Amino acid sequence: MLFAAVLNGCNSDSSSGKENLKGATITHMVQSATNRPEAYKKMAKEFKKETGINVKIVEAPWEQMHDKIFNDLVTSTGSYDVMDIDSGWDGEMARYFEPLDPYIKKYKVNMDNYLDIYKNTTGISTLTGNKRYGIPLTGQTMAMYYRKDLFEKYKLDVPKTWNDFDKALETLKQEKGVYPFVTAGVNVQLPKLFFARYIPQGKPLFTKDFKPQFNNQDGAAAIDGMKTMFKYAPPGYLSMDTPDADPVFLNGEAAIILAWPNTLSPLLQNTKSSKVRDKWDAVAPPGPGNLGPWYLSISKFSKHKEAAFKWIQYLSEKENSKQLMVKYGNYSTLKSVWDDPAVKEAIPGAEGILTAIKNCFLPTYLMHPAGNEWFVKTGSALSNALSDKSSTQETLDKMEKNWNSDKKKTPQGLIYEELGAK
């Protein structure tokens, strides 16, 4: 095959001179409790047939995966050649990854086939002077699902702003036996809703040097907006996670849901799991969700960098990216996959999901070593506000204090940006 022929003609490693790719063994670290390990193992068999390269898949839960990879990198061990990387780890890890621009050029990888939101935000940052260290793998953001039949009944337009969204909820409360709104309300799910209601007002969350600037009337409007929409949600919404909220919409008990598409969309047209079959549609929410992207990277300390990149390139080919999406639920980062009619048919609501992805953003506080802890604490603070344990102003003060009290240093080169497709 052409892939193998090209591979066999390329036997140099960018850091260690010559590398005999045939017979090489590379190790790929991936998150467990996802479908990717299963998919990778099947693809690795075909990859070996074509290239002679062995791929060993090792897996660990998210938190353990982070620690294993980080310890391997800082000790220059090189146990893992290829790694699935959460973009939230960039501030700690990016400097340890192999620069990929030379490989992209050498193997003529078409980065323009990647959706702009991924090309501009994922596996590339100011941490490395905007030199690429990762190939976008997958990601998603929240989408808005709504009942078409109820919107038609009450002559409602799909809301484009949060003001229109709140007005629609007030109208939809007329429908007996149906909550106007539902979404996962546990702590970890709340920050994305705050960001979505804050960002359209036009002021970034932080200054470029990471000084908070959300403790103002815009921040107050975002929290008060959250309070407004949750008035229309089912009782106990603060204890609802995704597996609790999705069935409310699936059972026809909610008119609108803000949800993660990869868990909800596959069930909506299922005759066994859905009472809203053919009665719904998916669109981008009135405010952008934050992107949750993953990418593929190579350790600077790998002894098989050429083989590692060929494996990444193989996983990123259209047909394999399509299989990861359609069969295993990992949304592709490639334009050509989303444009494929078979994908549009296989993924319910694909057009609306894609619009939500194109409209979302990646706040680089997530790359800051303090970012994950602040995210968690922000969820807790917002939960207290929604349960009237603290006022809106007290909540903003707490969010600001939580950030300022963290003593983790900003990694060299990292600036705060709200990265998007444009």
Side-chain angles (χ1 to χ4, degrees):
M1 296 179 69
L2 178 60
F3 181 90
V6 171
L7 174 65
N8 291 333
C10 302
N11 62 356
S12 64
D13 184 289
S14 63
S15 62
S16 59
K18 299 291 183 179
E19 177 186 347
N20 183 13
L21 301 186
K22 195 168 185 179
T25 296
I26 58 174
T27 300
H28 184 165
M29 169 61 84
V30 60
Q31 183 185 4
S32 59
T34 69
N35 289 333
R36 289 201 295 276
E38 177 189 353
Y40 289 166
K41 288 173 184 178
K42 290 182 179 180
M43 291 179 180
K45 293 178 181 178
E46 293 302 315
F47 181 69
K48 182 178 180 180
K49 289 179 184 178
E50 291 192 23
T51 67
I53 299 171
N54 300 289
V55 181
K56 179 183 177 182
I57 305 298
V58 294
E59 53 188 286
W62 180 85
E63 189 170 299
Q64 293 179 28
M65 181 185 177
H66 166 277
D67 294 346
K68 286 176 180 288
I69 291 174
F70 184 67
N71 291 334
D72 191 73
L73 293 172
V74 298
T75 57
S76 308
T77 304
S79 300
Y80 312 120
D81 302 284
V82 177
M83 296 151 286
D84 285 13
I85 299 294
D86 183 332
S87 282
W89 301 341
D90 284 21
E92 298 172 288
M93 300 184 186
R95 65 186 181 275
Y96 296 108
F97 297 143
E98 178 75 0
L100 297 183
D101 289 324
Y103 299 88
I104 291 168
K105 182 178 180 181
K106 179 176 182 177
Y107 294 114
K108 299 179 180 179
V109 176
N110 180 18
M111 293 305 298
D112 288 335
N113 187 30
Y114 286 85
L115 294 168
D116 288 345
I117 184 66
Y118 292 110
K119 185 176 72 172
N120 297 344
T121 70
T122 306
I124 187 170
S125 70
T126 57
L127 286 162
T128 57
N130 288 316
K131 293 179 180 178
R132 181 166 291 283
Y133 48 84
I135 300 296
L137 170 64
T138 189
Q140 65 168 333
T141 190
M142 70 174 179
M144 186 180 95
Y145 296 80
Y146 70 96
R147 288 276 298 276
K148 292 189 297 183
D149 56 332
L150 297 182
F151 270 64
E152 290 171 3
K153 178 178 178 179
Y154 293 104
K155 297 180 172 56
L156 291 170
D157 294 325
V158 177
K160 304 291 186 185
T161 68
W162 288 114
N163 186 50
D164 290 341
F165 182 91
D166 296 338
K167 288 180 179 178
L169 297 183
E170 179 64 20
T171 299
L172 289 163
K173 75 177 185 180
Q174 301 174 65
E175 186 68 17
K176 293 182 179 180
V178 176
Y179 295 102
F181 172 69
V182 70
T183 195
V186 292
N187 291 9
V188 73
Q189 301 289 358
L190 295 176
K192 72 177 186 295
L193 301 174
F194 173 79
F195 303 150
R197 296 201 72 128
Y198 178 89
I199 295 300
Q201 299 176 90
K203 191 171 187 177
L205 290 160
F206 298 89
T207 62
K208 287 187 179 295
D209 57 351
F210 289 94
K211 293 177 181 176
Q213 54 180 12
F214 49 75
N215 192 350
N216 52 35
Q217 61 184 12
D218 292 341
I223 293 176
D224 290 343
M226 291 175 67
K227 291 179 179 180
T228 295
M229 67 184 185
F230 274 115
K231 289 178 181 178
Y232 301 94
Y237 64 84
L238 287 175
S239 64
M240 285 185 172
D241 207 344
T242 296
D244 309 303
D246 285 359
V248 178
F249 189 80
L250 288 164
N251 290 333
E253 297 169 357
I256 297 175
I257 184 171
L258 296 173
W260 296 107
N262 70 334
T263 60
L264 181 59
S265 277
L267 303 175
L268 283 164
Q269 291 298 94
N270 188 308
T271 54
K272 294 182 179 180
S273 62
S274 177
K275 295 181 180 179
V276 294
R277 181 180 171 90
D278 298 326
K279 297 178 181 179
W280 63 275
D281 201 0
V283 295
N290 60 276
L291 181 66
W294 287 74
Y295 59 87
L296 296 159
S297 66
I298 299 173
S299 170
K300 276 186 177 180
F301 312 107
S302 167
K303 296 177 177 62
H304 301 290
K305 295 172 185 172
E306 291 280 344
F309 189 79
K310 294 308 298 181
W311 170 237
I312 289 176
Q313 188 177 21
Y314 182 79
L315 292 177
S316 304
E317 289 179 348
K318 180 192 171 183
E319 287 306 311
N320 289 328
S321 184
K322 175 180 173 181
Q323 186 178 355
L324 281 167
M325 180 169 176
V326 173
K327 187 174 180 179
Y328 296 99
N330 295 273
Y331 288 156
S332 177
T333 56
L334 299 178
K335 295 175 183 176
S336 57
V337 172
W338 283 95
D339 288 341
D340 190 318
V343 170
K344 293 178 180 179
E345 184 176 348
I347 306 296
E351 192 171 316
I353 296 168
L354 179 58
T355 301
I357 291 172
K358 287 180 175 180
N359 290 349
C360 74
F361 76 109
L362 180 69
T364 59
Y365 85 80
L366 291 169
M367 301 178 185
H368 196 289
N372 186 61
E373 186 175 352
W374 182 74
F375 179 92
V376 172
K377 289 181 178 179
T378 294
S380 178
L382 291 169
S383 182
N384 285 337
L386 292 169
S387 57
D388 293 325
K389 293 179 181 177
S390 62
S391 69
T392 294
Q393 187 57 56
E394 288 170 339
T395 302
L396 291 169
D397 291 343
K398 185 68 172 178
M399 290 166 60
E400 183 175 22
K401 181 180 179 181
N402 285 340
W403 181 269
N404 289 334
S405 63
D406 196 300
K407 302 305 180 183
K408 295 185 180 72
K409 292 183 178 180
T410 301
Q412 185 176 358
L414 183 64
I415 62 173
Y416 182 71
E417 300 177 278
E418 289 167 358
L419 301 172
K422 297 179 180 179

